Amino acid sequence: MADEGIAGSVAAPGGGDRPSTIVGRSPWQIFWMRFRRDRVALGAGVFLVLLAALAITAPLIARDLVHHDPNALFRDTLNEIGLPKVGPSAEFWFGVDTSGRDVFVRTIYGARTSLLVALLSTGFAVVLGILLGSLAGYLGGWVDTVISRAIDLTLSLPVLLFSIGIAAACSIKAEGCLGGLIQPGISLVTAIIALFTWPYIGRIVRGQVLTIRNKEFIEAARAMGASTGRILLRDVLPNLAAPIIVYGTLIIPSNILFEAALSFLGVGIPPTTPSWGRMISDAARGQLYTVAWWMLFFPGMALVLTTLAFNLVGDGLRDALDPRTQVTG
Amino acid sequence: MSVQVGERAMPGTEEARTPLVRLRGVKKYFPITRGIIFQRRIGNVHAVDGVDLDIYPGETLGLVGETGCGKSTLARVIMRLYDPTEGTIEFEGRDITRLKGRELRELRRHMQMIFQDPFASLNPRRTVGSIISEPFRLHKTVPRDRIKAEVQQLMELVGLNPEHYNRYPHEFSGGQRQRIGVARALALRPKLIVCDEPVSALDVSIQAQILNLLEDLQEEFNLTYLFIAHDLSVVKHVSDRVAVMYLGKIVEMAPGGTLYRNPKHPYTGALLSAVPIPDPRLAAHKKRIILEGDVPSPIDPPSGCRFHPRCPSAQFPICSEVEPTLEPMRPGQVVACHFPLPDRAVIDEGAEEATPSAGPSAG
Ligand SMILES: Nc1ncnc2c1ncn2[C@@H]1O[C@H](COP(=O)(O)OP(=O)(O)O)[C@@H](O)[C@H]1O
Ligand code: SF4
Ligand SMILES: [Mg+2]
């Protein structure tokens, strides 16, 4: 049978007269090929990996390398009116704060809080978004109506105001809310952030499912006798992977900022848990940063660099996964 | 697709045979709704509006009509992808109109579909092997450890390199992708394959190859085709009988040769006069029937004969008031028109006998 020619540089002639030394590349291999070439995104990714390593090993670093507990108070680093007098030095790499605590140790402990809350809340938001978004898109009708209204409503709420309200309501009693399922602290903050960010994923998933649902390959699957569940799992979801990865990655930095904002406002995370947002608010109180710039500078830089890195990685992923940007070779 | 098959399906013998597919009064309306929470139905798209159709075992029934006249909708109703609004569908004499669940899945083994768009009809995230083997995994007609061998055999059969088992659709050209679609449709050895414009999206040079492939497969596996196209030139070389559709209704049906020699419906005549004739000598004999205007909206189809706003032969008020029904004209030919065309209205001089070379050549 004659061949109709080849699509792109990857396909070898169907006739097979050329030995197929060129192995077919999966969409993921193509993605990795493209992403690897994006130096900026790759650099940002390396930064995030290092940050994660630092966050995970923070207790070890604090105990064995710096020998400073995050909540240890070094009174002799404060002057007579209680202001920190030790800036970045050999003993205190990032200086000390107004209670005489090591800012470096608190910054790497803050990375734990930030990453944990941001990753967990993004994870919940993605799962919720996929579930509700794909149901709305695939089933349509009143299911779609209800879910879409919920998305619109959530996105139109004044987020910080509602967060403070919910956090306050759930922190009145020690057992928290939803029958003790959500307790004050990290789980409460995570739940609040997930609650306000799933609609972004849900909306994107719904839109994608709407387009995919009408593709002929879905009809082909139905014509072959596949069930709705199988179609959603095997034909719809794999096609959602790319946008979900991209938007999931882009939501992480905004969730980091969300957590920082809540901590800055003194909501949710207990004061003893190191958190970038609370460190910044400590530095801002009474304009302390005019006498101890390091109190603001280091947690601020950590926050800026981390959110920037996540955004750069997200952009890189988007470029590498976008089927519209053609890459040859 | 050969002439012999055409003669087999000719009337006379027609009554004696049980049709593989039998449609009676099939309608498919799509509701147009307004409102967000409480949806009100404000109208209907009359996509298919009362179709009677028989498809006989072993034949190729062509279905032509302009884009938007309801061909794909009819195909999907036959495939039970859409539930008909009204009417009955029989498959091998059995009413399948309301089949559900297990029974419907079982039925799907016997009818498959080839789609128009070779890009949209293959899941970009699946390998060719996974796409073609899906029917085996769904219906368990082949033991698990035999699936790969079976799929590679199918790939060879449709002219694909079996070594490309692990490749993804984006690595293939349009024609090769359509071969993947053919292999998938063929996997369960169905009795009926509905081909919804299988070559419309392909280059002309590749169209003939795919048509030849379909023809070879029909012979080898004794397949029955419903072959859909939006112009007559493709259907012409492929079909034993041709049904012409306009705005949700069949307006004429006849054996291929008869239809080209003696189209009776003015709409068929117009479609036929749009088919290019390569030989200028013969082209000179062709009379042009130019269609004016666009296809009217299927939301509110014209009264009487739906073709009357565009029909060059229309006479009023009868054409705009009385709906013509399908009436037999000559053996095997039925037409829905108050004023059918005279014989040889489009092409004189036995033009059709002299043009078979335009058919698909050996690939
Ligand atoms: N799922 C649908 N919902 C609403 N209208 C539809 C749907 N599918 C098709 N239609 C309408 O039905 C008519 C027939 O469409 P179709 O069967 O695709 O025609 P063809 O295949 O002949 O081009 C068109 O007017 C089209 O807009
Ligand atoms: S019935 Fe009248 S309007 Fe309709 S096709 Fe025949 S001549 Fe034309
Ligand atoms: Mg169509």
Side-chain angles (χ1 to χ4, degrees):
Chain A
M1 189 57 72
D3 190 79
E4 299 100 36
I6 47 174
S9 54
V10 203
D17 38 19
R18 200 205 295 174
S20 45
T21 46
I22 311 165
V23 183
R25 269 175 289 195
S26 76
W28 295 116
Q29 285 170 300
I30 290 173
F31 151 73
W32 177 238
M33 225 173 60
R34 292 175 169 193
F35 188 75
R36 220 175 29 188
R37 244 180 283 156
D38 188 343
R39 298 271 164 233
V40 176
L42 211 59
V46 169
F47 171 83
L48 290 176
V49 170
L50 290 179
L51 182 75
L54 215 54
I56 291 166
T57 57
L60 292 179
I61 294 174
R63 196 188 64 203
D64 300 334
L65 196 66
V66 191
H67 308 295
H68 292 162
D69 186 84
N71 285 313
L73 310 176
F74 299 92
R75 292 279 178 211
D76 51 343
T77 60
L78 306 176
N79 64 18
E80 49 289 351
I81 57 163
L83 290 177
K85 62 180 184 198
V86 178
S89 59
E91 172 74 9
F92 297 97
W93 298 350
F94 289 179
V96 296
D97 67 8
T98 35
S99 309
R101 296 175 300 193
D102 186 325
V103 174
F104 171 72
V105 171
R106 289 187 75 77
T107 302
I108 58 173
Y109 264 83
R112 284 166 82 85
T113 314
S114 282
L115 292 183
L116 186 70
V117 171
L119 292 179
L120 272 181
S121 60
T122 304
F124 285 124
V126 165
V127 169
L128 214 58
I130 291 176
L131 209 70
L132 295 175
S134 54
L135 281 180
Y138 198 81
L139 296 180
W142 67 267
V143 178
D144 184 24
T145 307
V146 170
I147 294 175
S148 295
R149 287 312 112 188
I151 289 176
D152 292 344
L153 182 71
T154 316
L155 290 182
S156 67
L157 293 177
V159 174
L160 275 180
L161 213 59
F162 269 76
S163 303
I164 294 170
I166 296 171
C170 283
S171 303
I172 293 172
K173 283 178 288 178
E175 68 266 26
C177 37
L178 295 181
L181 191 67
I182 309 248
Q183 288 172 352
I186 286 191
S187 69
L188 174 62
V189 173
T190 303
I192 291 175
I193 296 177
L195 181 72
F196 284 106
T197 45
W198 77 265
Y200 293 100
I201 298 286
R203 177 177 275 183
I204 285 152
V205 168
R206 175 182 172 271
Q208 293 283 320
V209 170
L210 272 180
T211 11
I212 294 170
R213 182 181 70 167
N214 293 322
K215 287 272 164 73
E216 284 179 340
F217 67 79
I218 300 294
E219 289 203 300
R222 287 216 294 135
M224 282 185 295
S227 60
T228 302
R230 187 184 173 99
I231 290 173
L232 274 176
L233 218 62
R234 311 262 330 231
D235 288 309
V236 177
L237 269 187
N239 284 285
L240 295 179
I244 289 171
I245 288 170
V246 170
Y247 287 99
T249 312
L250 291 173
I251 279 182
I252 294 173
S254 74
N255 284 358
I256 289 177
L257 290 175
F258 199 158
E259 183 272 323
L262 290 180
S263 296
F264 183 90
L265 294 170
V267 176
I269 310 267
T272 45
T273 308
S275 140
W276 293 341
R278 192 173 283 272
M279 289 168 80
I280 292 170
S281 97
D282 285 348
R285 202 180 318 120
Q287 294 184 323
L288 267 177
Y289 57 86
T290 51
V291 288
W293 57 270
W294 54 88
M295 279 180 66
L296 181 64
F297 179 78
F298 291 105
M301 277 310 276
L303 193 61
V304 168
L305 289 179
T306 307
T307 51
L308 182 69
F310 271 112
N311 275 308
L312 291 175
V313 169
D315 283 345
L317 289 175
R318 175 162 45 204
D319 290 344
L321 288 168
D322 191 347
R324 279 167 303 184
T325 53
Q326 280 293 319
V327 163
T328 49
Chain B
M1 292 192 200
S2 58
V3 179
Q4 294 91 305
V5 180
E7 308 297 41
R8 263 200 283 132
M10 287 285 282
T13 51
E14 212 168 82
E15 281 72 32
R17 297 157 59 102
T18 323
L20 183 65
V21 177
R22 188 184 178 92
L23 306 181
R24 285 298 174 266
V26 167
K27 296 186 181 178
K28 178 65 191 175
Y29 293 173
F30 294 107
I32 308 165
T33 54
R34 183 165 292 168
I36 296 164
I37 294 174
F38 302 103
Q39 304 200 326
R40 284 175 298 122
R41 178 182 281 230
I42 56 167
N44 284 312
V45 178
H46 301 67
V48 174
D49 207 357
V51 165
D52 296 347
L53 196 67
D54 293 333
I55 308 174
Y56 292 93
E59 78 166 335
T60 297
L61 177 65
L63 181 65
V64 279
E66 284 161 291
T67 300
C69 70
K71 307 180 297 294
S72 297
T73 304
L74 183 61
R76 284 165 169 81
V77 168
I78 295 174
M79 290 293 301
R80 285 298 320 275
L81 290 170
Y82 291 162
D83 287 325
T85 310
E86 254 179 57
T88 57
I89 312 158
E90 282 174 28
F91 189 81
E92 295 187 304
R94 168 170 170 237
D95 190 341
I96 61 160
T97 320
R98 301 284 161 215
L99 231 51
K100 272 203 178 89
R102 262 182 80 95
E103 281 185 307
L104 180 59
R105 271 206 290 283
E106 182 60 24
L107 170 81
R108 299 212 178 278
R109 279 174 59 173
H110 306 296
M111 41 206 267
Q112 283 297 312
M113 186 157 172
I114 298 170
F115 294 87
Q116 171 171 1
D117 185 343
F119 289 84
S121 61
L122 305 177
N123 186 342
R125 297 276 173 218
R126 285 186 156 205
T127 61
V128 175
S130 156
I131 290 170
I132 302 178
S133 62
E134 181 77 353
F136 294 141
R137 275 182 270 115
L138 283 169
H139 291 272
K140 310 204 163 44
T141 51
V142 170
R144 204 165 263 278
D145 54 331
R146 286 272 314 139
I147 286 182
K148 184 168 183 188
E150 199 76 19
V151 169
Q152 292 191 318
Q153 206 177 328
L154 266 172
M155 289 176 73
E156 201 144 14
L157 188 69
V158 300
L160 291 166
N161 184 347
E163 286 173 32
H164 295 171
Y165 186 86
N166 280 322
R167 292 202 172 177
Y168 285 83
H170 69 88
E171 299 174 75
F172 295 87
S173 65
Q176 287 173 319
R177 281 161 170 250
Q178 207 54 309
R179 288 175 196 270
I180 298 170
V182 172
R184 170 175 62 186
L186 200 65
L188 297 170
R189 298 288 133 83
K191 291 170 181 148
L192 173 76
I193 296 186
V194 174
C195 313
D196 188 4
E197 308 205 26
V199 297
S200 300
L202 305 177
D203 288 348
V204 177
S205 57
I206 296 155
Q207 290 189 355
Q209 295 178 9
I210 298 293
L211 293 179
N212 280 335
L213 172 67
L214 290 174
E215 190 168 0
D216 293 344
L217 294 174
Q218 181 170 45
E219 232 160 80
E220 194 168 342
F221 298 106
N222 192 24
L223 298 168
T224 306
Y225 287 144
L226 173 63
F227 191 98
I228 299 175
H230 63 256
D231 67 309
L232 269 166
S233 53
V234 172
V235 157
K236 184 172 169 170
H237 302 288
V238 161
S239 313
D240 304 309
R241 290 189 306 142
V242 176
V244 180
M245 201 167 172
Y246 186 77
L247 268 186
K249 282 183 181 292
I250 306 275
V251 294
E252 177 162 15
M253 187 149 48
T258 311
L259 194 81
Y260 301 117
R261 223 170 294 130
N262 291 313
K264 286 291 166 193
H265 198 282
Y267 181 60
T268 316
L271 287 180
L272 207 56
S273 73
V275 174
I277 298 177
D279 187 334
R281 206 162 32 86
L282 291 168
H285 291 288
K286 189 159 99 173
K287 294 172 193 138
R288 289 220 155 266
I289 303 174
I290 307 292
L291 271 185
E292 279 169 23
D294 289 327
V295 186
S297 159
I299 295 169
D300 190 13
S303 61
C305 172
R306 291 180 177 204
F307 190 48
H308 83 255
R310 301 169 80 195
C311 180
S313 326
Q315 293 184 28
F316 298 98
I318 176 159
C319 285
S320 58
E321 281 173 7
V322 183
E323 183 166 349
T325 52
L326 278 173
E327 303 292 344
M329 293 295 296
R330 63 180 74 218
Q333 186 169 26
V334 287
V335 177
C337 174
H338 298 303
F339 307 101
L341 297 175
D343 282 0
R344 295 182 184 263
V346 179
I347 303 172
D348 269 340
E349 306 288 323
E352 76 289 337
E353 278 114 52
T355 53
S357 60
S361 54

